[in-house]
Structures are given as C-alpha cells and as structure tokens.
C-alpha cells in the first residue's frame, strides 16, 4: 500500500519510487523546454534586404540624393527595434550611406563586400552567426542574391524603385530547410 498511517495517504510521501519518477519526469520536461527554447532562439536567422536608397545620378559610384538620405533615416527608424546585429553593404558609397544611420544607431561597422562579388555576400550571409542581419545592396543583383539564399524568384527591381523591402527567415540548421519570405514596401516615395 502506498499510504502509511502517518503520511495521511499522500502517495508522494509514501512511495520513494513515485517521488523519484515524478522528479525525473519534471527534470526531463524542464530540460526539453530549455533545449527547445534555446534551439528555436538559435535556430532561425532573419535577413532584412533592401536596395540602396535614392541616388543623385546614374554615375557608377553615385551618392544618395536628399530623398535618399531621408529614406536611409526612415530605414533606421523602421529597424530601430529589430536588434540588427550585422550589416552588409557593397563597396559603393550609396549602399554605405543607406546603412549609415542604422549602423550609427546600433554602433555597428558595416562589412563592405565588392559589388562585383555577390557570391561573397551570399557566402557571408550563409556562414554568419548573427541572428538579425541587414543587407543593403543593388537592384541589379539583389534578386539573384535572394534566390541563392532560397527565396522565390522576384521580378526585376526598376531603376526608380527604392522602396522594396525583403525579409528572409532562414533555418540555422541545414537539416531543416524552413524558410519564410516576405516582400514589403517601406518609406513611401516622394510625390
């Protein structure tokens, strides 16, 4: 019988096997919850990708226009609470200028990658450890970068289109190919 007369029929006090089993089960459940929570927290990376903001001309290394600077500030405000941990840009000034307000705000040093080497950018993103990343790139090759990272093919980004905003969530674990892809518009164009 599980009960003794002094324990008032409390099975936890009367049966050491039962008490130990409950203790083991509770410990296992706790550890599973901790591990699942940790795996989920470590298992997904969110990559925010944008084309550089509005440029002043069609020169090869054109700077941002005043509208472009406003858009870069708007991007920084929009991502202020996103806990961006890494920023990648091309080696051209307009991508660096687009990333600058957020980089200053987050006290990050963007990593410039040569525009001619989008495969290097793709590899940096894939091998990176940061959970939330901003990529400021160029309209001509951004669709290719997205597709290489697992996103579906997207339409060509028009020359005057600076407001496309892509969010790609990747599984950290290569065995699980979970992927989420969202396309948005941000910081309306001036009329």
């Amino acid at each position: 019988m599980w009960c003794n007369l002094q324990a008032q029929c409390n099975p936890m006090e009367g049966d050491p096997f039962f008490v130990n089993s409950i203790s083991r089960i509770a410990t296992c459940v706790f550890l599973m919850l901790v591990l699942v929570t940790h795996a989920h927290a470590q298992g997904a990376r969110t990559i925010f990708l944008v084309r550089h903001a509005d440029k002043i001309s069609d020169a090869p290394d054109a700077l941002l226009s005043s509208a472009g600077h406003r858009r870069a500030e708007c991007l920084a405000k929009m991502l202020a609470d996103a806990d961006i941990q890494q920023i990648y840009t091309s080696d051209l000034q307009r991508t660096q200028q687009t990333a600058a307000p957020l980089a200053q705000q987050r006290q990050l040093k963007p990593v410039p990658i040569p525009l001619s080497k989008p495969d290097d950018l793709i590899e940096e993103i894939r091998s990176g450890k940061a959970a939330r990343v901003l990529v400021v790139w160029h309209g001509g090759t951004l669709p290719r970068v997205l597709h290489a990272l697992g996103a579906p093919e997207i339409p060509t980004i028009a020359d005057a289109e600076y407001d496309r905003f892509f969010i790609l969530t990747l599984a950290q674990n290569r065995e699980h190919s979970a992927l989420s892809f969202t396309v948005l518009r941000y910081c309306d164009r001036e009329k």
Side-chain angles (χ1 to χ4, degrees), residues 28-183:
C28 288
V29 169
F30 174 75
L31 288 174
M32 285 175 46
L33 288 173
V34 167
L35 291 174
V36 167
T37 302
H38 180 70
H40 179 69
Q42 297 296 319
R45 297 179 65 223
T46 303
I47 317 299
F48 301 93
L49 302 101
V50 297
R51 178 185 181 200
H52 59 78
D54 318 49
K55 58 186 178 175
I56 200 162
S57 72
D58 288 331
D61 197 9
L63 302 176
L64 294 185
S65 65
S66 58
H69 285 287
R70 285 191 296 278
R71 187 179 303 278
E73 290 291 338
C74 180
L75 178 65
K77 286 178 187 170
M78 189 175 85
L79 292 175
D81 295 327
D83 191 26
I84 299 297
Q85 300 162 349
Q86 179 71 62
I87 300 174
Y88 294 105
T89 67
S90 78
D91 54 346
L92 299 185
Q93 293 181 79
R94 60 185 171 269
T95 60
Q96 295 168 15
Q97 288 180 318
T98 303
L102 183 64
Q104 268 187 321
Q105 181 183 62
R106 299 285 306 153
Q107 298 178 353
L108 295 171
K109 184 174 176 153
V111 176
I113 296 175
L115 173 61
S116 62
K117 297 185 176 187
D119 290 336
D120 289 0
L121 171 65
I122 294 162
E123 183 53 35
E124 284 283 335
I125 294 169
R126 284 185 179 152
S127 65
K129 301 297 181 207
R132 282 162 299 288
V133 175
L134 172 64
V135 175
V136 182
W137 206 248
H138 299 269
T141 52
L142 189 55
R144 179 175 157 238
V145 169
L146 282 161
H147 191 64
L149 292 172
E153 289 190 33
I154 62 166
T156 302
I157 298 172
D159 285 342
E161 194 173 18
Y162 299 102
D163 63 345
R164 302 273 294 278
F165 187 85
F166 306 95
I167 304 170
L168 185 63
T169 303
L170 306 168
Q172 183 75 10
N173 186 336
R174 292 192 185 257
E175 288 118 32
H176 297 90
S177 59
L179 174 89
S180 171
F181 182 66
T182 305
V183 180

